[in-house]
Amino acid sequence: MVNEVLSLQKQYSLNGYFLLKNFFSQSFISQLINEIEKSENTIKYYDKDNNLRRIEKLYDKGTQLNNLNNKIIHFLNVTFDKNFLIFKDKFNAKPPGGEGFFAHYDGIFHFIDTDNKKRKGWYEYGDYFINVLIALDKCTKENGSLELAKAHYGNFDELIKNTKNNGTPALKEQIESITSFNLINLDIGDIVVFSNTCPHRSKKNETKNNRRVLYYTYSLSKYGSKYHQYFNDKEKSKNTSKALVDK
Ligand SMILES: O=C(O)CCC(=O)C(=O)O
């Protein structure tokens, strides 16, 4: 146990991410899918063909969904020796033919608030974010699995220089071209834990089935819960590019 934790900490400090196989059982994942399908009072996004693309605000909309969040918080606490709270949550369906995601960091973009003030993306809410992606389906090259690169280090003002700085967290092409991305193949129940400063991207789903994942982000509990503030600000944001809506 102690050795496992040390190995994960080492991988995280070397790469900014690690992968854990079979972290959740297939039966637990099936129960989660059931609850996600039945969930109410969430925010749903559809693509132009009216396929469900994304659901937000769902982490507490079922018994097993609540269990999932508690298990992740416990795991992050044991692994990083820090206390975490959920910052944001989403279910990405990536339906057949569904578009991929351009290369980006998470949270490194500007948005305009209701007072027309320029704000620093997620860094308005904290300075340390960990993403946990949970595979609900097998994720492969064909269905557009995540491609992940080693974390880049720096604060908001340093990292934004690597982005197009256009209200989205998209990386400059020149930065993307010198970054080496690894395709992360996942089986149902595997998880990937990664820093928001790991460049990542994914391709279109070329298969006939959805490629479903949960994509949760955690922030440090010492700053208090930022979950509602984040979603409220996102709703009211005047970003013309809708970066905050997408991220
Ligand atoms: O679901 C994917 O393929 C990648 C998602 C992603 O990069 C994101 O939501 O920031």
Side-chain angles (χ1 to χ4, degrees):
M1 175 73 184
V2 175
N3 282 344
E4 268 168 44
V5 167
L6 287 176
S7 150
L8 296 179
Q9 286 175 352
K10 194 169 163 197
Q11 287 181 60
Y12 196 83
S13 65
L14 275 177
N15 302 321
Y17 70 90
F18 56 78
L19 162 63
L20 285 167
K21 302 294 296 172
N22 292 313
F23 192 79
F24 294 115
S25 69
Q26 298 224 1
S27 64
F28 182 61
I29 297 291
S30 302
Q31 293 176 59
L32 290 176
I33 292 173
N34 248 326
E35 290 189 353
I36 294 166
E37 285 172 353
K38 286 194 294 213
S39 63
E40 288 175 358
N41 299 319
T42 56
I43 305 174
K44 292 195 169 81
Y45 296 85
Y46 295 85
D47 66 15
K48 54 180 174 7
D49 302 321
N50 215 27
N51 293 314
L52 177 66
R53 193 59 231 214
R54 185 161 87 238
I55 308 178
E56 293 179 340
K57 288 186 122 173
L58 84 162
Y59 85 90
D60 56 353
K61 303 293 169 14
T63 310
Q64 299 307 346
L65 281 163
N66 271 303
N67 280 339
L68 172 73
N69 182 49
N70 292 335
K71 281 173 202 249
I72 296 173
I73 285 177
H74 175 71
F75 168 75
L76 293 177
N77 171 244
V78 171
T79 306
F80 294 98
D81 198 21
K82 290 179 169 59
N83 292 317
F84 291 89
L85 287 171
I86 191 140
F87 171 60
K88 65 194 292 284
D89 53 341
K90 63 188 173 198
F91 160 83
N92 281 351
K94 199 176 270 185
E99 284 306 320
F101 289 74
F102 50 69
H104 62 282
Y105 300 127
D106 281 341
I108 314 269
F109 57 88
H110 286 115
F111 69 95
I112 308 298
D113 73 9
T114 43
D115 297 325
N116 282 321
K117 284 211 181 101
K118 196 170 170 181
R119 299 286 186 180
K120 292 184 175 184
W122 294 2
Y123 288 67
E124 293 293 329
Y125 314 94
D127 52 11
Y128 190 83
F129 300 94
I130 296 191
N131 291 323
V132 180
L133 181 146
I134 302 115
L136 305 180
D137 289 308
K138 200 173 163 70
C139 301
T140 61
K141 186 171 179 219
E142 291 71 32
N143 66 13
S145 191
L146 189 73
E147 296 175 31
L148 201 47
K150 281 188 177 191
H152 289 174
Y153 293 101
N155 60 27
F156 181 91
D157 293 322
E158 287 159 343
L159 292 177
I160 194 121
K161 292 185 191 144
N162 293 337
T163 74
K164 294 184 175 166
N165 200 353
N166 60 1
T168 81
L171 290 188
K172 283 181 179 159
E173 269 149 39
Q174 171 233 341
I175 299 292
E176 181 177 4
S177 69
I178 55 166
T179 301
S180 158
F181 290 85
N182 298 311
L183 178 78
I184 311 289
N185 284 304
L186 299 168
D187 290 306
I188 297 170
D190 293 351
I191 67 168
V192 193
V193 176
F194 59 107
S195 162
N196 68 302
T197 66
C198 286
H200 54 286
R201 65 185 182 193
S202 68
K203 300 214 166 58
K204 188 175 178 171
N205 179 359
E206 304 280 4
T207 71
K208 293 194 170 66
N209 300 311
N210 283 349
R211 189 245 43 194
R212 297 166 297 183
V213 300
L214 285 169
Y215 192 126
Y216 287 2
T217 303
Y218 291 83
S219 57
L220 293 176
S221 70
K222 66 180 180 185
Y223 299 127
S225 173
K226 301 292 174 187
Y227 184 84
H228 293 291
Q229 192 190 341
Y230 167 80
F231 277 107
N232 288 341
D233 289 352
K234 171 171 158 165
E235 202 183 322
K236 292 192 205 123
S237 147
K238 294 182 184 165
N239 254 29
T240 46
S241 69
K242 299 280 181 236
L244 202 57
V245 172
D246 292 330
K247 305 319 303 164

